[in-house]
Each structure stands twice: as C-alpha cells, then as structure tokens.
C-alpha cells in the first residue's frame, strides 16, 4: 500500500473545472515530482490533497485513511505537511515564534530544523517580515517540518530565489531525503534539480495525469511534449 493514493481526482472552481482525472501514488520514503506546464493543475492537485478544496470526484487516501471529505486541519494532523506557494509565515512573529507556533510532537524541533537551516538559528529572534526571500522560504519549510509530517509537499519552493539560495534549498531537500527518508511531493520548474532528487514523476496536462513513471524513464520526447523542454 502506498502512503498517498490519489484516484481520478476532479476539482471545480465554481463553473470552471480545473481537474478532470488526476491519479497518482506516492510510496513511503519516495520523492515524487509533479510536472506539467503552467496552469495544468499542479497547485490545484496539491490543494486537493491537503484538503483545501472540495472534490468534485475521485478520492484521496493517506496512510490507509480516506481523506476525501476531511477538512485541511485533519489532513495536517494525519501527517500531510505543506510548504505553500508564496511561503506564508507570520510576519510579525520572530523566526523562533513561527517555529514553535507550528510545532507538534515528534522528532523535529527548533534545534533540529536549525541544524538543517543554520541561518534560521542565527536569526531566531528576528521578525519573519524582515527576512530575505530565501530565508522566508527556509522558514516555511522549517515550519512544515515542525508539524512532524509523514509527507512533505513543496509547491515551487525555489521560485523567485537567487541561484545560490536555490542551491541551499535543494541541498536541504536532498538532506531530508537521504537522512530522514521523508516522503516528499515536489512541484518545481527546475527539471535538472528534480532529476537528481526525484524517484518518480507524474505529468499533468489540462487537469489530467497523462504520464507517470521512474524519473529516469522521462525521455526528451515526453518532456518536450508535456513540459516544453
Ligand atoms: P502554475 O505552474 O502556473 O502554478 P498549475 O499547474 O499549478 O500552474 P493551477 O494553479 O492548479 O495550475 O491551475 C489549474 C487551472 O485552474 C488553471 O486553469 C487556473 O486558471 C485555474 N484556477 C486556479 N486557481 C483558481 C481559482 N482560485 N479560481 C478559478 N480558477 C482557478
């Protein structure tokens, strides 16, 4: 049994349907890349998995439990940790306060996330609003880890960041994979970085999953056709 099983997912925004038929599975300890051109439904799929959107059809099962009708806080409690697009933190709380506000019991605490992102330790007492974009992204990932998730979902975690900061974020995700065996779902534009980290990929086109397989099996013809590279 996979940790996450998404079957025939359909989602509507009012009258317009964004997802028609998305299916994917993610195993324990696996890193899965969710790929597709802009507007194909990646963020909507993630929001549906995190139960932030009602389903018009299909199902989401996590750790053997049917989540399709659960509210988002229940999904979080079951172990789905999201780093949303746009890295939302509490701007008027310090770094440390942001971390402790997210904390749930488990093996991740402020010291351990501080070891993963030393910059956050250095800036523990600084207001989140005054952090650089990269530091805010690190804080957003650290906050998700503080919830002690079984699945970490990262939506465009490196978007809009300087190359050197991107490398820090990718290195941290690599460390998570190697040292903790955390299950990770990634959306990102950098195929070369995903290739290094992801075990498998699922490609979305117009709200449907049209390809899935080992990332290494993703050939040039397929990526040219569905991703545009
Ligand atoms: P991107 O890479 O640009 O973020 P994406 O693959 O994540 O794209 P989604 O953001 O999931 O795609 O969007 C899928 C479709 O749903 C698009 O047609 C988009 O315009 C539409 N959509 C997304 N959010 C909303 C919303 N709040 N209301 C109405 N339509 C929406």
């Amino acid at each position: 049994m996979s940790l996450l099983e998404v079957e025939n997912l359909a989602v509507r925004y009012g009258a317009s349907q964004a997802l028609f038929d998305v299916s994917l599975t993610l195993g324990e300890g696996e890193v899965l890349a969710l790929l597709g051109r802009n507007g194909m439904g990646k963020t909507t799929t993630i929001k549906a998995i995190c139960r932030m959107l009602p389903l018009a059809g299909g199902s989401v099962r996590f750790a053997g439990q049917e989540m399709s009708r659960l509210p988002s806080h229940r999904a979080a409690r079951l172990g789905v940790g999201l780093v949303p697009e746009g890295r939302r933190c509490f701007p008027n709380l310090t770094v440390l306060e942001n971390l402790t506000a997210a904390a749930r019991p488990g093996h991740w605490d402020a010291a351990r996330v501080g070891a993963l992102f030393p910059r956050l330790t250095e800036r523990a007492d600084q207001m989140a609003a005054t952090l650089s974009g990269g530091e805010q992204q690190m804080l957003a990932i650290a906050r998700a880890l503080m919830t002690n998730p079984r699945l970490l979902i990262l939506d465009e975690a490196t978007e809009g960041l300087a190359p050197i900061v991107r490398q820090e974020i990718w290195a941290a995700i690599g460390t998570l994979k190697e040292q903790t065996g955390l299950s990770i779902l990634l959306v990102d534009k950098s195929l070369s970085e995903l290739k290094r980290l992801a075990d498998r990929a699922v490609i979305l086109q117009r709200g449907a999953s049209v390809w899935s397989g080992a990332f290494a099996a993703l050939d040039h013809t397929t990526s040219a056709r569905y991703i545009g590279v």
Side-chain angles (χ1 to χ4, degrees):
M1 185 190 67
S2 298
L3 180 63
L4 175 69
E5 294 172 330
V6 172
E7 265 180 12
N8 311 115
L9 203 60
V11 171
R12 295 175 179 283
Y13 292 107
S16 85
Q17 189 158 354
L19 300 186
F20 294 86
D21 187 9
V22 174
S23 296
L24 60 86
T25 61
L26 196 160
E28 197 87 53
E30 195 168 61
V31 178
L32 177 71
L34 186 58
L35 306 173
R37 290 195 177 88
N38 287 347
M40 292 300 164
K42 302 180 296 294
T43 297
T44 303
T45 298
I46 284 175
K47 285 184 172 167
I49 291 169
C50 296
R51 305 303 316 113
M52 295 157 73
L53 291 170
L55 305 188
S59 67
V60 177
R61 288 176 71 78
F62 183 73
Q65 183 156 343
E66 180 59 51
M67 288 212 304
S68 306
R69 285 190 184 77
L70 296 186
S72 59
H73 69 271
R74 292 282 306 281
R77 215 181 302 156
L78 284 173
V80 180
L82 172 66
V83 182
E85 210 174 5
R87 53 191 87 115
R88 263 154 267 145
C89 301
F90 296 116
N92 298 322
L93 295 185
T94 66
V95 167
L96 187 59
E97 286 165 346
N98 262 280
L99 293 177
T100 49
R104 283 178 54 241
H107 44 263
W108 284 100
D109 56 19
R112 192 156 173 228
V113 297
L116 185 67
F117 295 115
R119 282 217 232 176
L120 295 183
T121 309
E122 289 162 22
R123 295 172 187 276
D125 299 322
Q126 191 172 322
M127 289 290 177
T130 65
L131 296 174
S132 71
E135 288 159 358
Q136 287 188 22
Q137 185 63 67
M138 291 172 199
L139 181 56
I141 297 172
R143 278 175 51 83
L145 290 171
M146 290 292 284
T147 69
N148 279 284
R150 287 181 73 179
L151 168 65
L152 182 68
I153 303 181
L154 296 140
D155 193 359
E156 305 262 16
T158 67
E159 189 169 38
L161 301 178
I164 189 158
V165 184
R166 286 180 183 212
Q167 286 316 313
E168 281 181 63
I169 304 278
W170 285 118
I173 300 169
T175 302
L176 287 175
K177 175 180 173 161
E178 281 153 34
Q179 295 182 7
T180 71
L182 188 64
S183 308
I184 302 176
L185 176 59
L186 284 171
V187 170
D188 204 277
K189 296 212 165 56
S190 173
L191 272 189
S192 56
E193 296 294 342
L194 290 174
K195 192 173 184 176
R196 267 190 254 190
L197 275 174
D199 303 300
R200 288 173 51 249
V202 170
I203 303 180
L204 299 188
Q205 189 178 41
R206 288 188 214 100
S209 41
V210 291
W211 187 95
S212 72
F215 205 102
L218 183 58
D219 58 35
H220 186 74
T221 314
T222 308
S223 36
R225 180 166 171 201
Y226 295 120
I227 313 166
V229 285

